[in-house]
Amino acid sequence: LKEVFQLFDTEDKGYFTKDDLFFVMEAMGGSPTPQELDAVMYELDSNGDSVVDFPEFLTKFLTATDEKELLSVFHQLAIQEGEGNDDRFAKPRLFAHTLTQYVGERLTDEDKKYLEIIFRGADKDNNGRLDIKEFTAYL
């Protein structure tokens, strides 16, 4: 989860702001409204100081056992391949592409290997993509 947190905390400040959250969500293809950003920050910023530090971020993910919350995260990372809710999948290539766009430079071979290891470990049916069940089990 530290690596995920660092996607938001690109300047290694130890926290991220609503603006940082906006840029990550936008890089992943979203168009969050100010109200949506406020709602996410409200959920993550447990002490109300307008920033999310790693302990707050970690606590939220460790207590996010509600599948509805995990589904919301999954929808930010996954693509729709059919018409039903079970037709959403996260693929390593798409995630790597999104990460490359966000960072603004190509991923190193080491970065690509790391992403492959993560996906292989989570991809229990070895089909090259993560469905919601694999995603939630991995988290």
Side-chain angles (χ1 to χ4, degrees):
L1 285 176
K2 185 68 171 173
E3 290 84 10
V4 174
F5 179 78
Q6 289 172 330
L7 291 175
F8 296 91
D9 180 21
T10 58
E11 297 173 6
D12 202 26
K13 302 173 286 195
Y15 62 87
F16 63 86
T17 65
K18 184 167 51 172
D19 289 339
D20 298 324
L21 177 65
F22 172 79
F23 290 123
V24 171
M25 292 176 76
E26 186 179 56
M28 292 182 164
S31 299
T33 66
Q35 294 81 10
E36 290 170 328
L37 291 169
D38 287 341
V40 172
M41 288 299 290
Y42 177 79
E43 288 293 320
L44 295 175
D45 181 20
S46 60
N47 65 3
D49 63 355
S50 299
V51 299
V52 177
D53 59 25
F54 185 65
E56 288 172 316
F57 184 79
L58 183 61
T59 299
K60 182 62 179 177
F61 274 92
L62 292 179
T63 60
T65 55
D66 180 359
E67 189 166 332
K68 184 178 176 183
E69 289 181 56
L70 291 175
L71 185 62
S72 174
V73 172
F74 182 72
H75 277 258
Q76 295 296 320
L77 298 173
I79 58 172
Q80 187 79 27
E81 290 192 339
E83 295 183 23
N85 281 336
D86 293 335
D87 295 329
R88 255 193 190 301
F89 298 94
K91 294 183 175 183
R93 183 176 293 169
L94 178 66
F95 187 74
H97 177 73
T98 301
L99 188 58
T100 298
Q101 286 182 327
Y102 177 71
V103 173
E105 58 188 58
R106 299 188 82 178
L107 295 178
T108 66
D109 289 339
E110 185 177 331
D111 293 335
K112 290 176 187 176
K113 275 185 181 179
Y114 184 70
L115 284 175
E116 287 174 22
I117 290 168
I118 290 171
F119 269 85
R120 269 196 311 251
D123 183 16
K124 297 301 180 191
D125 61 7
N126 297 314
N127 67 353
R129 57 191 188 180
L130 301 181
D131 59 30
I132 185 62
K133 291 177 185 171
E134 292 168 322
F135 180 78
T136 55
Y138 182 76
L139 286 181

